[in-house]
């Protein structure tokens, strides 16, 4: 009677009375075991290398970016690029108007770390700070900003069209005469403060005009300035000033698309270096290392992450206590807000 060979020491013996599995089956079992062990180790390594739970939260409070300074807010439901938002504001809590020096100063005083403002060219090739392409929504003027010289725009009442009750009253009318500033005046008014310039025009010439002015600034001032806007306009700025932090939709898509392919390893692609990312927080969960490791990786390559509310809809910001409840715990990156006077005190607690 021939005895069956004994099973290897690392393989359990078959139950009494049952034949041992053939050698090929044992080898296949061992290979599967090794493969599963390798996959488990790889998964554990990916988790450890990209888990913000293991990294722990950052220290300090978030970087607050005040959209258009301290300004009137409005109902975002159904808003498009063509909506006259001045005609649907909330009942005013203050008299500040967007894109004015007074509103920006109030935002910094309230706790903003940076202020965003809008830039458009005038008929006499000046850089006016104003949001809408046309004047009739907010002001007592008519036509396009680019068709008027700066002196004429300065005479307009920037608060003329604001109403919270469908036009029954205009509580800010008469409060905005002469308040329209230029980019040069904003930069001079807030030395050393962080500024985000939004180039409103899509034409490369708009970006070239902004770049011509910025090129006159010293390097230490340029380090506090970021430019964003349409792809062509931002490309024109970047071509003239390659060391300036810029962003656009194309830049953000290129960065995040490549990061999705490499971020598991901790590598940050060149497309993400020295940028600013305006990132809807509902999409952040799909990024390797979100939120703390991701923000730290971007910070290491001089890229600022600014989280916007929801899915990044029109002007969506973290504006109320309920909005802040949805941000990642311990997040210390940038936060986009339309009500810095409300949000800053909450984040200081």
């Amino acid at each position: 009677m021939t005895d069956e060979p004994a099973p290897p020491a690392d393989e359990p013996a078959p139950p009494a009375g049952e034949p041992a599995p053939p050698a090929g089956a044992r080898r296949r079992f061992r290979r599967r075991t090794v493969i599963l062990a390798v996959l488990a180790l790889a998964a554990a390594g990916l988790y450890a290398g990209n888990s913000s739970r293991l990294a722990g939260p950052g220290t300090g409070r978030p970087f607050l970016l005040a959209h258009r300074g301290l300004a009137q807010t409005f109902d975002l439901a159904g808003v498009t690029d063509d909506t006259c938002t001045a005609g649907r504001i909330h009942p005013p809590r203050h008299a500040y108007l967007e894109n004015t020096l007074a509103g920006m100063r109030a935002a910094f005083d309230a706790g903003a770390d940076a202020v965003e403002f809008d830039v458009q060219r005038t008929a006499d090739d000046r850089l006016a700070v104003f949001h809408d392409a046309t004047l009739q929504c907010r002001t007592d003027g008519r036509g396009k900003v680019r068709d008027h010289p700066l002196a004429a725009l300065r005479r307009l009442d920037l608060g003329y069209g604001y109403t919270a009750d469908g036009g029954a009253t205009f509580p800010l009318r008469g409060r905005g005469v002469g308040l329209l500033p230029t980019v040069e005046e904003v930069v001079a008014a807030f030395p050393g403060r962080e500024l985000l310039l939004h180039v409103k025009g899509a034409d490369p010439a708009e970006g070239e005009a902004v770049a011509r002015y910025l090129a006159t600034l010293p390097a230490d001032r340029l380090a506090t300035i970021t430019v964003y806007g349409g792809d062509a306009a931002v490309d024109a700025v970047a071509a003239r000033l390659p060391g300036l932090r810029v962003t656009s939709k194309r830049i953000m898509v290129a960065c995040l698309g490549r990061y999705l392919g490499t971020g598991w390893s901790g590598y940050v692609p060149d497309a993400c270096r020295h940028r600013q990312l305006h990132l809807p927080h509902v999409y952040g969960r799909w990024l390797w290392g979100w939120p703390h490791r991701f923000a730290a990786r971007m910070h290491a390559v001089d890229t600022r992450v600014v989280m916007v509310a929801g899915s990044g809809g029109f002007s969506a910001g973290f504006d109320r206590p309920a909005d802040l409840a949805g941000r990642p715990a311990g997040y210390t990156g940038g936060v986009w807000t339309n009500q810095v006077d409300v949000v800053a005190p909450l984040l200081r607690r």
Side-chain angles (χ1 to χ4, degrees), residues 62-325:
F63 178 94
L64 282 174
L65 195 157
H67 182 218
R68 306 186 203 173
L70 190 59
Q72 303 304 313
T73 59
F74 49 86
D75 184 1
L76 295 175
V79 170
T80 69
D81 289 339
D82 298 324
T83 301
C84 176
T85 56
R88 55 187 296 166
I89 62 168
H90 298 128
R93 298 183 297 105
H94 54 70
Y96 293 110
L97 296 168
E98 66 178 50
N99 285 312
T100 62
L101 293 178
M104 296 178 201
R105 187 170 292 109
F108 281 125
D109 289 344
D113 298 293
V115 161
E116 184 265 7
F117 60 92
D118 303 301
V119 182
Q120 300 197 56
R121 275 199 308 168
T122 67
D124 50 348
D125 207 29
R126 300 295 301 277
L127 296 174
V129 178
F130 192 77
H131 178 270
D132 300 351
T134 58
L135 299 166
Q136 47 266 35
C137 170
R138 302 179 192 284
T139 80
D140 50 345
R142 310 290 297 179
K144 297 179 179 180
V145 172
R146 68 186 183 199
D147 293 335
H148 296 269
L150 179 64
L153 296 172
R154 299 248 206 212
R155 292 193 290 269
L156 298 176
D157 177 8
L158 302 185
Y160 187 85
Y162 285 85
T163 178
D165 51 18
T169 61
F170 294 87
L172 300 172
R173 186 168 286 184
R175 295 175 179 258
V177 178
L179 296 188
L180 186 145
T182 63
V183 172
E184 296 92 330
E185 289 167 342
V186 174
V187 172
F190 305 106
R193 302 308 298 261
E194 293 275 352
L195 300 172
L196 173 61
L197 282 66
H198 185 184
V199 183
K200 296 300 293 183
D203 194 315
E206 304 291 325
E208 291 164 1
V210 170
R212 281 196 300 273
Y213 163 65
L214 294 179
T216 68
L217 300 177
D220 60 341
R221 189 61 175 117
L222 283 178
T224 65
I225 291 175
T226 302
V227 173
Y228 82 116
D231 295 332
V234 170
D235 286 348
V237 174
R240 177 71 181 270
L241 299 167
L244 187 71
R245 182 184 288 115
V246 298
T247 195
S248 66
K249 182 177 180 179
R250 182 160 55 210
I251 287 171
M252 288 189 282
V253 168
C255 163
L256 296 176
R258 293 171 191 175
Y259 180 79
L260 284 172
T262 65
W264 60 270
S265 68
Y267 175 74
V268 178
D270 289 343
C272 295
R273 295 172 185 269
H274 196 56
R275 302 299 191 192
Q276 180 157 301
L277 304 178
H278 298 163
L279 185 63
H281 85 287
V282 297
Y283 300 145
R285 69 192 69 173
W286 303 109
L287 296 171
W288 297 105
W290 177 261
H292 309 310
R293 288 189 189 274
F294 176 80
R297 289 168 182 171
M298 294 300 155
H299 178 74
V301 297
D302 195 33
T303 288
R304 178 177 294 148
V305 179
V306 178
M307 191 167 56
V308 298
S311 58
F314 190 92
S315 300
F318 290 82
D319 301 333
R320 305 163 300 168
D323 298 329
L324 290 175

